[in-house]
Amino acid sequence: MAIDYAQSAKEIVKLIGGDDNVINLTHCATRLRFILKDFSKVNKTTLSRVKGVITVLESSGQLQVVIGNHVGDAYQEVMTLIHIDEKAAATGGAKVGIVSRLMDIISSIFVPFIYPLAACGILQGIISFLSAIEVMDPASGTYRILNFVSWTGFTFLPVMVAFTAAKKFNVNPFTAVISACALVCPDYMNMLTANKIATLNSADPAIHKLMQEALSNPEMATVLTQLAGIPVTAPNLDFFGIPVQYLSYTAAVIPIILMVWAMSYVQHFFERLLPLVIRNLFTPMFCIAIMVPLTLLVFGPIGNAIGGGIGNVYNYLYHLNPSIAGFVVGAMWMPLVTLGVHWGITPVTVGNYATLGYDTFTGLQASPVFAMAGAVLGVYLKSKNSEMKRVALSAGVTGLFGITEPAIYGVALRLKRPMLCGCLAGAIGGAIAGWFNAVSWSYCLPGIAVLPVFFKTGHMPQFLGFLLSITVAFVLGAVFIWLAGFKEDDEVQDQPEDDASQLLAVGESSPITSPLTGTAIELSAVKDEAFSSGLLGQGVAIVPQEGKVYAPFSGRVETVLPSQHAIGLRSESGIDLLIHVGFDTVKLAGKGFNALVAEGDEVTQGQLLIEFDMAYLAAQDIDATTVIVVTNSEEFSIINPQHHDVNSGDELITVTR
């Protein structure tokens, strides 16, 4: 049954504290990333049960709601329900550490265009592969057009970075884009090319002599200038006498992020300083006129040094022992994805493509992706539970295409051993990839659909080694979990496969009897807002006349709180019910309560579950009103709630799927 993401979005927004609690929202390949004002308002337990939600994490200063492949659908529906205050979004919510802050910045900047950029990489790989097998002629117009199209995303990467960074830092996005365009405009690129030619001339006497002979001929110099659009001499570039270092900003990342970050302060300064009548015109002008030269003079060299330094450190460690590097990456990549901090490696990989023309990290990173897919497909083969087999098959196939969150949260972490087996298989595959110096030749998210990106004519041993590494990782993932086995969690293990026949069909109803004797009242009338708002589920409340709680149906005890004042039940037909005696009763630490059942017990309708001392509760000034709510209300509608005096065993509400 297709998931109604419009309804899921409503529940998600309600359970994160409502629209007023949201500062900002972005999404990556599989998860919604909320920045909130108050994380204590989030009901993570109920939120994780919303249809379409795989799990909920709090990481990197964000509330991360893992959706899976349909995250785009969920994002669009949620955005229709919330209002983003751009100024508040720029300042952020809860105070977080510098590492978490950096991860948030990186993910917010790269996530919006990560798939289009990867698409350019895939196109590069495909035309390269077709050229290698002589299906497409590199000299043909078709190849040339597709080739420059495939490089466009990387050529203008600074423009995309500037646009998303502007949203993150609350800068006028078009001002940021114009500033980035200035750094890759034809005039600057021509001067950069001329500088490279001049440098080459001075370094190689033979080339210098050849160029001098060509340029000594006025007609030849004119032809060269007209054909190439390149100055015949390299100008000394300076700004008010300060020399400018010639740097290429094609595929630049860190210099652009620094530029837009600084621009946020420049823009804010002039917005406060300038009169309203000229503010909208002159603020962008000052931002462009100040930030582009400042980037050429300061942020460019600094960003280039930072990016080059980070890349050089990784590449140095990689070249010390590629197999060990592959083993470490293969073992640690899935835990990094689990924590949501894997985006931190993106500037390194993008920098490698810009400086080296290839990236080694992606070649190592592919093995843990395929290993995790193999591990969960191993679960599919070994599990005897139909529901787990369904989840594992779906997650495993999705993992093969590079989206591993459903496999991680839906299977691996749930059963624990598949996570360990996947990490071990990924480490072995990564070591093999390192041994063969496997690389990707353009940006991609590793998966079965992007294999051409790892191929390049003249580098067949690397490509075959890469194929070997992901094959070994995938097979070992399945073999390890088959040999190690796993203990299926309680939800799966304790439900026989024929339980599905007992579940309510759509439109089918089931009565729930009253667990207490007393007066039934509307849930909205109770004093606790979490219950009265329906946040924890739909139902009714009872003002008790005696201190006894009976089973309202036959089923199983899912939870008994240590303070014994609340119990969670699951009926044979799939209804989850919470019975919560009194408000603020948790502070009694169990005094005045006596639970007669334990978690995991099977109970029959009418069985006594809890006894409580009403006189003691009254003496402690505790309101004994008892709440009865269906906690998986998203699956049911509650009809015919009774609002009058009831006896235990009387029909209280009717639940319809």
Side-chain angles (χ1 to χ4, degrees), residues 283-514:
T283 297
M285 185 204 71
F286 282 119
C287 286
I288 296 168
I290 292 173
M291 290 314 307
V292 173
L294 194 60
T295 301
L296 291 171
L297 293 169
V298 179
F299 293 123
I302 290 177
N304 186 64
I306 294 174
I310 295 173
N312 289 339
V313 168
Y314 162 73
N315 291 318
Y316 173 76
L317 294 175
Y318 171 84
H319 288 297
L320 284 179
N321 194 310
S323 293
I324 293 178
F327 188 91
V328 173
V329 171
M332 295 303 299
W333 185 247
M334 286 301 121
L336 291 176
V337 173
T338 304
L339 295 173
V341 298
H342 53 302
W343 291 106
I345 196 64
T346 303
V348 175
T349 58
V350 172
N352 279 339
Y353 293 120
T355 57
L356 304 176
Y358 60 85
D359 176 55
T360 57
F361 191 94
T362 312
L364 308 180
Q365 172 195 346
S367 289
V369 171
F370 281 86
M372 183 55 63
V376 297
L377 287 174
V379 171
Y380 164 76
L381 295 174
K382 194 173 182 67
S383 176
K384 300 184 183 302
N385 179 270
S386 58
E387 175 63 15
M388 176 53 72
K389 290 176 77 71
R390 182 189 67 80
V391 172
L393 179 61
S394 174
V397 172
T398 302
L400 284 173
F401 286 87
I403 307 299
T404 52
E405 277 88 346
I408 294 171
Y409 300 113
V411 180
L413 290 178
R414 185 176 174 185
L415 303 181
K416 298 179 177 62
R417 288 189 184 178
M419 187 69 175
L420 298 175
C421 292
C423 289
L424 179 58
I428 295 172
I432 295 173
W435 177 268
F436 283 92
N437 297 118
V439 301
S440 66
W441 297 97
S442 188
Y443 186 84
C444 69
L445 300 174
I448 198 168
V450 301
L451 294 183
V453 173
F454 296 86
F455 171 82
K456 188 174 184 179
T457 304
H459 298 269
M460 184 59 73
Q462 287 173 285
F463 180 63
L464 295 177
F466 169 77
L467 293 180
L468 177 64
S469 69
I470 59 175
T471 302
V472 168
F474 177 79
V475 172
L476 287 183
V479 170
F480 286 165
I481 197 62
W482 182 270
L483 296 177
F486 49 88
K487 180 181 178 181
E488 300 188 65
D489 62 13
D490 291 340
E491 181 181 352
V492 174
Q493 184 180 29
D494 293 340
Q495 290 181 3
E497 290 190 25
D498 61 358
D499 271 358
S501 64
Q502 302 180 40
L503 298 179
L504 295 179
V506 175
E508 188 177 356
S509 300
S510 175
I512 295 179
T513 62
S514 177

Side-chain angles (χ1 to χ4, degrees), residues 517-598:
T517 296
T519 302
I521 62 175
E522 293 185 7
L523 192 61
S524 59
V526 302
K527 298 177 182 179
D528 189 291
E529 185 178 351
F531 288 113
S532 64
S533 65
L535 193 64
L536 299 178
Q538 301 300 312
V540 297
I542 295 177
V543 180
Q545 295 176 0
E546 64 174 3
K548 293 183 178 181
V549 178
Y550 298 91
F553 47 59
S554 296
R556 184 179 60 193
V557 178
E558 295 288 326
T559 307
V560 178
L561 292 190
S563 53
Q564 303 183 74
H565 73 283
I567 185 170
L569 304 172
R570 183 176 179 83
S571 75
E572 294 172 346
S573 56
I575 301 169
D576 291 337
L577 195 74
L578 172 66
I579 304 173
H580 189 284
V581 181
F583 304 114
D584 294 328
T585 37
V586 68
K587 68 183 182 181
L588 299 180
K591 293 180 181 179
F593 289 88
N594 180 28
L596 304 176
V597 292

Side-chain angles (χ1 to χ4, degrees), residues 67-253:
I67 301 293
N69 292 343
H70 294 280
V71 67
D73 298 330
Y75 174 79
Q76 291 179 3
E77 296 294 345
V78 171
M79 286 300 292
T80 64
L81 303 175
I82 62 175
H83 171 72
I84 301 297
D85 184 342
E86 296 295 344
K87 292 185 177 180
T91 59
K95 299 297 182 183
V96 295
I98 184 63
V99 174
S100 295
R101 178 66 173 158
L102 286 173
M103 293 303 105
D104 171 50
I105 290 172
I106 291 170
S107 64
S108 298
I109 290 173
F110 283 95
V111 163
F113 59 78
I114 208 73
Y115 279 127
L117 189 65
C120 290
I122 296 172
L123 181 58
Q124 286 182 24
I126 290 174
I127 63 175
S128 176
F129 178 74
L130 293 178
S131 171
I133 61 175
E134 299 183 351
V135 171
M136 184 178 289
D137 183 2
S140 68
T142 302
Y143 179 93
R144 290 175 178 177
I145 291 173
L146 292 178
N147 186 54
F148 78 68
V149 167
S150 71
W151 278 106
T152 301
F154 300 94
T155 301
F156 295 100
L157 178 62
V159 178
M160 295 187 290
V161 170
F163 185 80
T164 54
K167 290 195 169 186
K168 182 63 180 174
F169 297 123
N170 195 29
V171 170
N172 184 318
F174 297 103
T175 305
V177 164
I178 291 173
S179 300
C181 288
L183 299 172
V184 292
C185 75
D187 284 347
Y188 178 75
M189 296 305 295
N190 287 342
M191 288 189 287
L192 181 66
T193 302
N195 178 70
K196 290 180 179 179
I197 293 174
T199 303
L200 183 63
N201 288 347
S202 61
D204 190 323
I207 294 179
H208 176 73
K209 181 179 179 181
L210 180 62
M211 291 296 295
Q212 287 297 107
E213 291 177 355
L215 295 178
S216 63
N217 184 334
E219 294 181 359
M220 180 63 73
T222 302
V223 170
L224 287 174
T225 302
Q226 292 175 344
L227 287 178
I230 299 172
V232 294
T233 59
N236 291 321
L237 195 60
D238 67 85
F239 186 74
F240 287 115
I242 305 174
V244 172
Q245 183 179 348
Y246 276 109
L247 295 173
S248 174
Y249 292 95
T250 300
V253 172

Side-chain angles (χ1 to χ4, degrees), residues 614-653:
M614 292 185 63
Y616 178 76
L617 266 61
Q620 302 300 315
D621 197 26
I622 296 294
D623 181 354
T625 299
T626 301
V627 173
I628 301 98
V629 296
V630 178
T631 55
N632 57 343
S633 293
E634 69 274 7
E635 301 178 26
F636 302 95
S637 61
I638 312 300
I639 59 175
N640 300 328
Q642 303 302 309
H643 299 142
H644 53 70
D645 291 344
V646 292
N647 294 315
S648 60
D650 291 349
E651 184 173 319
L652 183 65
I653 56 177

Side-chain angles (χ1 to χ4, degrees), residues 8-31:
S8 297
K10 293 177 182 177
E11 297 177 33
I12 289 170
V13 173
K14 179 174 69 174
L15 293 169
I16 63 174
D19 175 26
D20 292 341
N21 196 36
V22 180
I23 294 176
N24 198 15
L25 170 63
T26 57
H27 76 89
C28 58
T30 57
R31 59 187 80 184

